[in-house]
Amino acid sequence: MKGTVYKKSWLFLLATLLLLVLAACSDNTATPDDTETDPESTSTDEEAGGISGELEIQYFVGGYGDTWWKTVIEDFKKAYPDVEVIEHSGPDINTEMNTRWISNDPPDVVYIDGNGSNETQMISDGQLMDISEWAKGITLEDGTPLLDSFISPVEELDGGKIYSLPLVFDTWGVWYDGNWFEEQGWEAPSDFDSWLASMKQIKEDTGIAPFNTTGQYPQYFQRGVLYPAFGAAGGEELLNNLSNGVVEAWESDEALEVMKKVEAIVDAGLVDTGFAAYSHTQSQMNFLLHKNAYIPVGFWLPNEMINDTPEGFEYSFVPTPMNDAGEPMALVPDIRPVAIAQEADNPEAAKAFLEFIFTEKYAQKFAESTGAIMNLKNVDLSSNNNVPAFLKGINEMINNPGAIQIYERSTPTDTKEQEINVEMTNEIKLQIVEILMGRIDAEEFVERITNKAKELRGV
Amino acid sequence: MVQSKKQRYLFLSFCLLPTFIVFCIFTVYPMLGGLYYSFFDWSGTSSVKEFIGFDNYKQLLRDSVIPKAILNDYFFVFVKVLGIMILSLFFAVALTQLRIKEAPFYRIVFFFPNIMSVVVIGILWQFIYDPNIGIVNSLLNAIGLEQWAKPWLGDMTWALPSIAIPAIWAGIGLFMLLLMGGITNISKSLYEAAEIDGASEWQQFWKITVPLIWPQIKTSIIYIVITSLNGSFVLVQVMTGGGPGNATEVLGSYLYQRAFEDFKFGYGAAIGVLILVISLLTVIILQFVLKKEKVEY
């Protein structure tokens, strides 16, 4: 008897499990089938302008945190109650979602930032949707076309195709502690000569090496110092040609002049001797502890180091002063875009979401919660008390043409050119460490990079 | 009951089957996968990949970082085998034969780094080597050797040896325990007999201890070699990221950079195959070099 009851319960359990599995399977298969085979219901939805279904969003959480994303997504859910938003986020999200992209089952919206993501690679692999037509039709609340409202314009490839919208306007510059400078009577530099003089003064007053960067990630120096220096020395064309390994650009006088300035900093003993071993956080920590006075980083620095910032430390930012006296300071934007996946299951909801986030309201919230600027022009941050002072200043500069010069860096679309760009970047990173350690001079730096460019281009 | 040979083989095969299947799924399949991907130009982040035959391997031959990384890998193999074996043998003999009262305590102390994550070890030693706040430079300054103080991990010459020290430090405990196991199994009567015959401590060590724990020594060396060739990556990645320049680059860290930072997964897979080939060849050569008749007294 006992055995029969036992057997029956097993049978019951098995049947329940089977039912659950079937239910789960039918649920999964029913949704796409319904959408595909029931054109009537789809058209009704569209006629009503209703956006519904699941919307998967992938976003990287790094120095900017995730507060802004959480706020935006909550508000979007309220505005579109029929949309079920599924978030995929975290510091390793690009790696975690990699298999989804490989198997052509990506999320609908992707914020391209952080390790393991590369917009150029995604475009060349055909992973991002061509949103040109749709993007050209979007207008802001005041009627301005969205494409005319970006600080750093949208990148059009292959004769006008748009694959992403530039969401975050970040840029590299040098940071210093405003309070410390005020106490010591040091002045923030505005060009290379005043920067060199300032660093010499700081070294004399304190005995520290005023300049620090991370040797483990030499791209901090490449983007934070060399890019603005190249921009200031020869404009956008030189900047792009140098980073893309055009031999003639590396043979130019401007390239050598820039490297001579770097050599002058090294020769004066102004670079922290330990830089080569430091990770970005170590170098930033030393900067916060006043072991150094200047460090090249992007806008995310205050947010990233928020828990380690000593009391009384005032984050102050200046576009890297590698420009000559009398010339405008150079800024090279570091744009973080958002895009829709080519294989998105719900492109309509994805478009609605992108349209939803590009507003002044969310631009204000972005500045408040991330310490960086959303890539929208004419957003008045001056009266927002929650926005850090340094950001108000830089926002004013960006929106005030003439005070600084913005140089856009464009990535090559051609696959071979992309490969050259990657190899050039690696070589530049290697030689940055060499020159900052004082092992080579400006001439040798330029010679090595020129040789690499020649090798890559078969010259 | 007498079992036929066939039945015995069938039974053994049946017992080994699950292990064999698991081995195939988790070891053979990924290895073959790596080999397969090494023939493609693939970013590793999309379904688009192009078959390029042996191009990745041809590029390996032209890549100037590869020889440097191989040399650095062998540097780790050499110093770790030497450092770990000498020190673990020394501590194993000391803790088993010197009748130290605190031996159990020391066993725990020496084994402690083995239970720590390699990442934690790397970060800990980064602080030790820090040129501004690190204990190494502070000590040198305190004893009047300021001229020897340097940015250890940021120095082209010293970065590699500086990583090797924590690598040795973290490896001693495990092998010390392995050798201690071997030493405690040696019959005391052998040492007593040797002592009666007038053999010195040193002679006893070379003529009794070393030959009788040779299987453990051999296993340890092979294990250290394999873990060095494949495992130095983590410590390098955490402590220097392969820098300064390529001064501490090992094949593992270079693979990581090419595959996951430069999005050249196919090329990264080719480097992975190279690591496999180098490891296999090294172990095969080692088996011959370390071949020695089993000693019994």
Side-chain angles (χ1 to χ4, degrees), chain A residues 304-336:
Chain A
E304 188 172 51
M305 303 304 284
I306 196 163
N307 296 326
D308 301 300
T309 308
E311 210 173 312
F313 192 99
E314 189 199 356
Y315 286 99
S316 305
F317 177 93
V318 63
T320 312
M322 290 291 279
N323 53 305
D324 289 332
E327 297 289 322
M329 299 177 95
L331 271 188
V332 180
D334 194 4
I335 299 300
R336 315 294 158 97

Side-chain angles (χ1 to χ4, degrees), chain A residues 98 101-104 115-118 121-122 124-127 215-217 272-274 276-279 282 286 289 291-292 415 419 422-423 426 429-430 433-434 437 439, chain B residues 41-48 59 65 126-127 130-133 151-157 236-241 243-246 256-258 260-264:
Chain A
N98 199 16
W101 287 92
I102 292 172
S103 54
N104 287 329
N115 274 345
S117 73
N118 182 306
Q121 188 67 53
M122 291 174 102
S124 96
D125 285 344
Q127 291 179 319
Q216 279 200 27
Y217 304 100
D272 190 312
T273 50
Y278 290 142
S279 66
Q282 279 176 300
N286 278 357
L289 295 172
K291 302 276 180 199
N292 317 101
T415 314
E419 280 176 10
V422 169
E423 297 302 321
N426 286 339
K429 278 154 65 176
L430 268 182
V433 177
E434 295 275 331
M437 288 179 85
R439 287 163 55 94
Chain B
D41 179 12
W42 183 37
S43 64
T45 55
S46 82
S47 57
V48 182
Q59 201 187 329
V65 181
Q126 260 185 331
F127 283 115
D130 190 293
N132 292 317
I133 54 167
W152 297 95
L153 295 172
D155 187 290
M156 293 275 185
T157 314
V236 166
Q237 191 68 18
V238 172
M239 293 180 76
T240 60
N246 289 122
Y256 182 85
Q257 187 208 315
R258 298 304 270 170
F260 303 109
E261 289 175 6
D262 298 342
F263 300 98
K264 301 253 169 217

Side-chain angles (χ1 to χ4, degrees), chain A residues 4-26:
Chain A
T4 322
V5 173
Y6 199 64
K7 255 185 201 169
K8 274 184 181 167
S9 11
W10 269 107
L11 275 173
F12 178 72
L13 190 68
L14 270 173
T16 317
L17 277 172
L18 196 65
L19 272 173
L20 279 173
V21 170
L22 282 173
C25 289
S26 63

Side-chain angles (χ1 to χ4, degrees), chain B residues 97-291:
Chain B
Q97 301 197 328
L98 294 184
R99 295 192 190 90
I100 301 168
K101 207 170 68 184
E102 298 84 6
F105 170 74
Y106 287 123
R107 266 207 301 266
I108 295 168
V109 169
F110 288 128
F111 191 72
F112 187 67
N114 284 89
I115 54 167
M116 282 169 78
S117 148
V118 184
V119 176
V120 174
I121 290 171
I123 294 170
L124 180 77
W125 279 82
Q126 260 185 331
F127 283 115
I128 291 174
Y129 286 129
D130 190 293
N132 292 317
I133 54 167
I135 195 170
V136 178
N137 278 359
S138 303
L139 273 174
L140 289 170
N141 291 336
I143 57 172
L145 293 171
E146 300 90 355
Q147 71 276 16
W148 285 16
K150 51 174 64 68
W152 297 95
L153 295 172
D155 187 290
M156 293 275 185
T157 314
W158 288 98
L160 203 61
S162 300
I163 299 175
I165 290 172
I168 293 169
W169 173 77
I172 293 171
L174 177 70
F175 299 103
M176 182 192 78
L177 287 187
L178 192 74
L179 298 179
M180 279 173 79
I183 293 169
T184 45
N185 279 337
I186 300 171
S187 168
K188 294 255 185 316
S189 59
L190 288 173
Y191 291 105
E192 285 163 8
E195 221 171 305
I196 291 165
D197 289 343
S200 67
E201 298 265 329
W202 194 241
Q203 283 170 321
Q204 286 176 38
F205 172 74
W206 280 113
K207 302 286 181 190
I208 300 172
T209 312
V210 172
L212 287 176
I213 61 165
W214 184 249
Q216 284 89 341
I217 292 176
K218 190 175 150 181
T219 310
S220 303
I221 291 174
I222 292 172
Y223 189 75
I224 294 167
V225 169
I226 294 170
T227 52
S228 296
L229 285 171
N230 293 303
S232 304
F233 156 68
V234 186
L235 213 49
V236 166
Q237 191 68 18
V238 172
M239 293 180 76
T240 60
N246 289 122
T248 59
E249 202 80 76
V250 288
L251 284 173
S253 61
Y254 193 52
L255 182 157
Y256 182 85
Q257 187 208 315
R258 298 304 270 170
F260 303 109
E261 289 175 6
D262 298 342
F263 300 98
K264 301 253 169 217
F265 197 88
Y267 189 59
I271 299 175
V273 173
L274 178 69
I275 296 175
L276 178 72
V277 171
I278 286 177
S279 305
L280 276 176
L281 284 175
T282 310
V283 171
I284 290 168
I285 292 167
L286 258 184
Q287 293 279 10
F288 280 105
V289 172
L290 299 175
K291 207 172 170 189

Side-chain angles (χ1 to χ4, degrees), chain A residues 192 195-196 199-200 221 225-226 255-271 322 431-432 434-446:
Chain A
F192 181 71
W195 192 27
L196 196 65
M199 287 198 275
K200 284 178 179 171
F221 188 83
V225 179
L226 291 189
L256 185 62
E257 271 169 32
V258 167
M259 298 319 301
K260 281 276 177 200
K261 286 178 180 172
V262 176
E263 189 185 312
I265 297 172
V266 178
D267 283 353
L270 305 173
V271 181
M322 290 291 279
Q431 302 309 331
I432 281 173
E434 295 275 331
I435 194 167
L436 289 183
M437 288 179 85
R439 287 163 55 94
I440 57 172
D441 59 17
E443 278 86 1
E444 278 174 282
F445 182 97
V446 170

